[in-house]
Amino acid sequence: DEAAMFAVHVRRGDPKNDGSQAGEVERLAAQRLARDDGAEIEVGDGLNIVRAHFVYENDLTDPLEPEEVERWLGGAPGSDSSRLVEASRRQERDAVGEAFDEFSGIYGAAVKTRAIRWLHESPPTYDRAWVIEPDVVYTGQWAELFAFYDEKYPRADLVSVNSTHSTGGSSWAHAAECTFCSEGDGRWQTAFLPVFRISRRLASAVLETLRSNRTGHHEALLPTVCERLSWCEWISISHGDIYRYRPFIALDESEQSAKPGRLYHPVKSADVLRALAHVEEV
């Protein structure tokens, strides 16, 4: 099986105080991923079945119960309690140690650490997982994107955008905090990780590194661990169109530039998401 881990923060109320529905973008994105739950992908002589999972960090001030999380996700297929994976900063810090604080990034998010740990601890039927942020849109069926990389790069341990050149390597703003990156020959990498595929064995190697109290921002540590392992293969995602850190994608930009079968990030507006989704329907 192939896990598709939708990494999301759930919350109550109207955080923007503008009358919008809480989590509308996340809910629509979850439902789009859930369409591909159970999709079959041929890989060599085998068959991978996509299983959607929802790894979520709960509202800290007013936590939602599992059945409320299901409703918050819009009843997306696969969002039942058997596919819900709860994450918390305390839990992940207990699981991997103080190294979590830097690895989790500037927002201290627990969802990616939890997704990686879930894969490491999951049944042996899962040998890889896609981890997807809710502000990423693929203008097509997610299973199509998964199938492209599964068929072309079945042995790759990391599939993500290689951002080493654009971040400037050691001149990156988060470089100094990567204690693991400074070891050995000092060569290190960065990856842009709104969506990525990771193998079980790389997930295990990343956790082993963190538990030895060697750390770094996840977009530096994860690819650098891979680069320093002789067996680890890293393939860069080539499907990005408007695929960047900032600024947020504007509505007119999405309407004018969207193409089918491409990745878009960051999508922070439900109107932008709907405009991009419309492309695959034309």
Side-chain angles (χ1 to χ4, degrees):
D1 290 349
E2 182 153 349
M5 309 289 290
F6 185 77
V8 64
H9 294 238
V10 301
R11 59 193 185 278
R12 294 187 190 274
D14 174 14
K16 297 180 182 178
N17 198 30
D18 61 1
S20 62
Q21 190 176 14
E24 188 175 10
V25 170
E26 292 90 338
R27 186 175 299 106
L28 292 170
Q31 291 171 346
R32 286 174 59 78
L33 173 62
R35 296 180 307 177
D36 290 332
D37 185 54
E40 297 180 347
I41 300 174
E42 293 185 10
V43 182
D45 296 329
L47 193 68
N48 282 356
I49 300 176
V50 176
R51 302 295 186 191
H53 291 72
F54 300 85
V55 54
Y56 69 97
E57 195 164 346
N58 216 331
D59 191 318
L60 292 177
T61 58
D62 191 5
L64 282 70
E65 296 296 326
E67 59 272 16
E68 293 179 295
V69 175
E70 294 173 32
R71 290 196 297 271
W72 196 91
L73 291 168
S79 65
D80 59 85
S81 58
S82 67
R83 304 283 188 86
L84 294 179
V85 181
E86 186 167 7
S88 74
R89 299 175 189 182
R90 176 179 295 180
Q91 180 185 44
E92 296 315 304
R93 201 172 191 272
D94 288 345
V96 303
E98 294 180 3
F100 166 77
D101 296 343
E102 183 61 36
F103 183 74
S104 60
I106 60 175
Y107 302 112
V111 286
K112 286 181 181 175
T113 309
R114 183 68 183 99
I116 290 170
R117 190 165 64 84
W118 179 91
L119 178 59
H120 168 72
E121 298 171 351
S122 66
T125 51
Y126 289 100
D127 62 357
R128 68 186 75 180
W130 288 89
V131 182
I132 303 167
E133 294 180 356
D135 59 352
V136 182
V137 172
Y138 178 69
T139 50
Q141 299 284 130
W142 276 108
E144 296 172 0
L145 182 76
F146 302 163
F148 176 87
Y149 290 97
D150 286 1
E151 293 166 4
K152 196 168 184 179
Y153 307 106
R155 295 183 178 84
D157 294 281
L158 178 62
V159 177
S160 73
V161 167
N162 186 331
S163 60
T164 307
H165 178 73
S166 61
T167 60
S170 59
S171 64
W172 189 42
H174 304 289
E177 289 76 26
C178 190
T179 60
F180 176 78
C181 300
S182 63
E183 294 179 6
D185 58 16
R187 291 187 300 111
W188 59 287
Q189 312 291 317
T190 62
F192 190 45
L193 300 175
V195 56
F196 63 98
R197 192 187 83 189
I198 183 171
S199 68
R200 174 194 288 270
R201 64 178 184 172
L202 178 56
S204 300
V206 168
L207 290 176
E208 182 181 352
T209 301
L210 291 172
R211 286 168 174 163
S212 66
N213 203 29
R214 294 176 293 170
T215 191
H217 190 289
H218 56 275
E219 291 192 337
L221 186 134
L222 201 157
T224 303
V225 169
C226 180
E227 191 266 346
R228 294 185 182 178
L229 293 169
S230 60
W231 49 260
C232 193
E233 181 182 6
W234 180 15
I235 298 298
S236 191
I237 284 179
S238 58
H239 281 70
D241 187 20
I242 306 174
Y243 195 63
R244 64 199 181 206
Y245 174 60
R246 291 289 187 272
F248 300 160
I249 298 175
L251 182 58
D252 60 346
E253 191 177 20
S254 64
E255 292 173 336
Q256 296 168 13
S257 305
K259 306 176 186 67
R262 310 299 291 176
L263 286 166
Y264 295 85
H265 175 276
V267 176
K268 301 294 186 179
S269 156
D271 288 338
V272 171
L273 190 153
R274 292 188 184 98
L276 292 169
H278 180 67
V279 172
E280 68 184 83
E281 300 165 2
V282 175

